Amino acid sequence: MEINVLNQPFDQVASSALVVLVFEDAEGQSAAAADKATNGWVRELASSGELTGKLLDVALLARPAGLTSQRLLAVGAGKKDKFTSAELRKIAGAAVRFLKPKKCPDVALVLDSDLESAAMASAAVEGAILGNFEPDRHKSEKKNGAIDRFSLVASASPEMAAGVRRGRILAESQNFARELVTEPANLLTPTLLANRAKEMAAEFGLDCDILGPDRMKQLGMGALLGVAQGSAEPPALIVIRYQPENPSPQAVNLGLVGKGVTFDTGGISIKPADGMEKMKYDMAGSAAVLGAIRALAQLQPPIPVTAIVPTVENMPGSRAQRPGDIVTTLSGKTVEVLNTDAEGRLILSDALEYAKRIGCTHLVDAATLTGAIVVALGYINVGVFSSDQSFSGKLLASAKTEGEKMWPMPVDDEYKELLKSSFADMGNIGGRWGGAVSAAMFLKEFADPAPWIHLDIAGTAWLEEAKPFLAKGPSGVAVRTFVNLAMNWR
Ligand code: BES
Ligand code: MN
Ligand code: ZN
């Protein structure tokens, strides 16, 4: 999608659809001007109750008199004093998704001058690009259409241009992640994921190292290899490095670790057939991490960032690990595999240890780790676990700015008791209750003593239903938060 800033009176903009914001409680500039240009259409809709100004309410006028554009789309923007970039992102997305099937190749959104800022410009562009995404790569007929061009009608300034650029990079990288998550497991094996990562790294000038099973054996990554051994597909550990040209004097290296299980059958502790097809999204954490570093390569944060992705397929088979097997992790700790379906924490344990060895000082992992986080937080919030309050405080602030809902969960040694094993240093499951917390406690054993944050995205990485501003399927959650965290490092 082509993105522009149109520094033009909005009534002269020749788009297929011009979008204006209508607030619930206050008259916005562009709505008022559109009302005037259309001889009172906006106010008429408001008084008839057709358009309330409620967030994401829409009303469409064809061939509006007084405007050069072919259509006028009024979108509810909610209460003016509650309006933030998160609302604008949704509005732009909803407008694009509403207009997409209506043969509207170019859409122009009028930004009221009191909303002109880099952050608002970025959010509008993000919303449009994210809204335009469809997980239809494998459909012969693309039924939903697409928008070719999105413009912001606003005064052109270097600030606006920077916001637009940021928004485009962020959303294209989030869509890169969503594209990966959409891919079925036959077309995205660990090897193919590693290839895609390598291609991306080359495209953006990032250093990329891929460890195969031989190097894993040499190093002693018994947990990662144990999960991988049931599959004919070899595992990979993807390491991508971003190094700033003028690094800040701080000795910091942010490690982003993403769970990359390209398919999770559960292994010998096999999952029920119903809904198992969805387990192709068990690599959403890896996609988020790869999407983030793709964006960071272009936005150039002041600190080095390393993406570390352990990727495997969790399969049953004659070579598969069995419940009761004991593996030795890279850290030297032994683990009794009490349930082969708790594979994410196993592969992440070796990846977290490896991240520390290659110099990461701060660790954040993203993983579709537990069904239990869905019980705790539903499909709304990412679960945030951390060993360091000031670090997680930064990440939660980033999440808030980027409009990604995340909520703190407890980290407490009392839960560690749950991971006891009779025959090894620890077991890989913690029993029925508090499953998301015991999973996090397992990871913490391997992240310590580095400041660490774990994001359980099992409930938020996949949308069961479309939203007005996002297609059904992969959400691309955590990409924007990661980028914000690195860009605003202090
Ligand atoms: N990938 C799953 C977690 C998951 C569940 C993600 C639902 C998305 C939706 C993970 O590997 C898993 O199987 N976890 C088990 C852990 C249990 C065996 C302790 C779970 O949550 O049931
Ligand atoms: Mn599993
Ligand atoms: Zn899994």
Side-chain angles (χ1 to χ4, degrees):
M1 182 158 52
E2 189 191 317
I3 310 280
N4 301 295
V5 175
L6 294 179
N7 194 356
Q8 219 180 343
F10 79 92
D11 52 353
Q12 287 166 31
V13 170
S15 63
S16 2
L18 191 74
V19 181
V20 294
L21 311 186
V22 177
F23 292 96
E24 225 170 305
D25 51 349
E27 192 159 68
Q29 296 159 11
S30 56
D35 184 65
K36 204 160 150 206
T38 57
N39 240 325
W41 176 72
V42 177
R43 254 178 228 148
E44 223 168 271
L45 280 180
S47 57
S48 71
E50 229 176 295
L51 185 71
T52 59
K54 210 178 114 228
L55 189 63
L56 306 186
D57 253 13
V58 289
L60 182 68
L61 180 65
R63 305 224 274 122
L67 295 182
T68 313
S69 286
Q70 285 158 16
R71 299 174 187 78
L72 178 63
L73 180 70
V75 185
K79 298 222 158 66
K80 179 100 197 202
D81 60 342
K82 290 248 174 75
F83 192 82
T84 69
S85 59
E87 279 70 40
L88 185 57
R89 187 181 295 107
K90 289 181 183 169
I91 289 169
V96 161
R97 293 193 66 72
F98 181 81
L99 292 165
K100 231 155 60 137
K102 300 185 169 53
K103 294 217 172 75
C104 281
D106 66 302
V107 172
L109 186 145
V110 186
L111 199 57
D112 292 3
S113 65
D114 57 343
L115 297 177
E116 282 180 2
S117 70
M120 287 289 184
S122 179
V125 169
E126 287 162 36
I129 296 175
L130 296 171
N132 210 26
F133 176 89
E134 291 294 331
D136 61 359
R137 171 192 284 260
H138 301 292
K139 287 227 180 241
S140 308
E141 243 180 279
K142 321 273 181 214
K143 274 197 289 242
N144 291 331
I147 305 287
D148 300 329
R149 204 165 342 136
F150 178 80
S151 310
L152 274 181
V153 183
S155 40
S157 67
E159 203 196 344
M160 280 305 214
V164 166
R165 173 174 181 270
R166 180 187 183 279
R168 188 175 47 70
I169 290 170
L170 224 51
E172 284 175 0
S173 296
Q174 189 171 337
N175 283 350
F176 170 82
R178 295 164 85 195
E179 199 69 71
L180 289 176
V181 177
T182 308
E183 282 302 55
N186 62 326
L187 303 178
L188 195 78
T189 60
T191 304
L192 293 170
L193 178 61
N195 289 347
R196 296 274 272 263
K198 207 190 300 180
E199 271 169 36
M200 180 275 287
E203 185 180 349
F204 296 99
L206 294 165
D207 178 68
C208 177
D209 183 22
I210 295 179
L211 286 74
D214 292 342
R215 279 172 75 194
M216 292 173 191
K217 270 175 214 145
Q218 273 170 17
L219 286 160
M221 296 183 167
L224 178 49
L225 286 163
V227 176
Q229 76 189 34
S231 172
E233 294 294 338
L237 184 70
I238 306 163
V239 180
I240 298 181
R241 284 192 173 86
Y242 160 78
Q243 189 66 43
E245 270 170 36
N246 302 303
S248 79
Q250 294 181 69
V252 165
N253 189 321
L254 177 62
L256 303 176
V257 182
K259 171 176 174 183
V261 176
T262 58
F263 197 78
D264 184 10
T265 64
I268 296 297
S269 315
I270 200 161
K271 288 182 183 295
D274 193 32
M276 205 202 270
E277 74 283 352
K278 261 186 59 190
M279 277 302 123
K280 68 173 184 177
Y281 93 95
D282 213 16
M283 38 60 69
S286 71
V289 158
L290 293 171
I293 204 151
R294 181 190 184 279
L296 289 170
Q298 300 167 77
L299 294 171
Q300 305 267 320
I303 54 161
V305 180
T306 309
I308 298 119
V309 169
T311 174
V312 296
E313 189 180 55
N314 189 22
M315 297 289 271
S318 66
R319 289 278 167 78
Q321 68 180 348
R322 296 135 291 246
D325 281 7
I326 295 177
V327 295
T328 303
T329 62
L330 178 62
S331 74
K333 288 192 177 84
T334 58
V335 176
E336 185 181 10
V337 181
L338 292 165
N339 188 317
T340 64
D341 198 9
E343 84 297 341
R345 61 197 78 179
L346 292 170
I347 68 168
L348 289 168
S349 67
D350 281 344
L352 289 165
E353 171 66 24
Y354 188 70
K356 290 188 292 186
R357 288 199 189 178
I358 62 173
C360 296
T361 58
H362 291 65
L363 298 171
V364 191
D365 75 73
T368 45
L369 202 64
T370 66
I373 200 67
V374 192
V375 176
L377 298 175
Y379 297 118
I380 315 280
N381 270 286
V382 172
V384 181
F385 302 81
S386 178
S387 59
D388 186 308
Q389 291 299 305
S390 91
F391 187 26
S392 59
K394 283 186 201 176
L395 179 128
L396 288 165
S398 292
K400 182 142 208 201
T401 319
E402 296 300 334
E404 295 193 309
K405 287 190 182 167
M406 303 204 180
W407 203 260
M409 294 286 290
V411 166
D412 175 334
D413 279 342
E414 203 171 333
Y415 291 92
K416 221 169 82 182
E417 308 288 310
L418 300 169
L419 296 165
K420 278 200 174 128
S421 155
S422 308
F423 308 108
D425 298 341
M426 49 202 294
N428 76 328
I429 53 170
R432 187 177 163 104
W433 307 114
V437 191
S438 53
M441 292 311 295
F442 185 94
L443 298 181
K444 181 172 177 291
E445 286 300 297
F446 301 90
D448 274 344
W452 155 83
I453 302 169
H454 157 57
L455 304 182
D456 196 334
I457 59 170
T460 45
W462 189 269
L463 303 177
E464 294 291 341
E465 297 284 343
K467 296 195 190 263
F469 46 90
L470 279 182
K472 169 182 170 166
S475 67
V477 72
V479 170
R480 297 202 305 273
T481 296
F482 284 158
V483 172
N484 187 296
L485 180 69
M487 294 306 291
N488 295 301
W489 198 274
R490 271 178 300 266

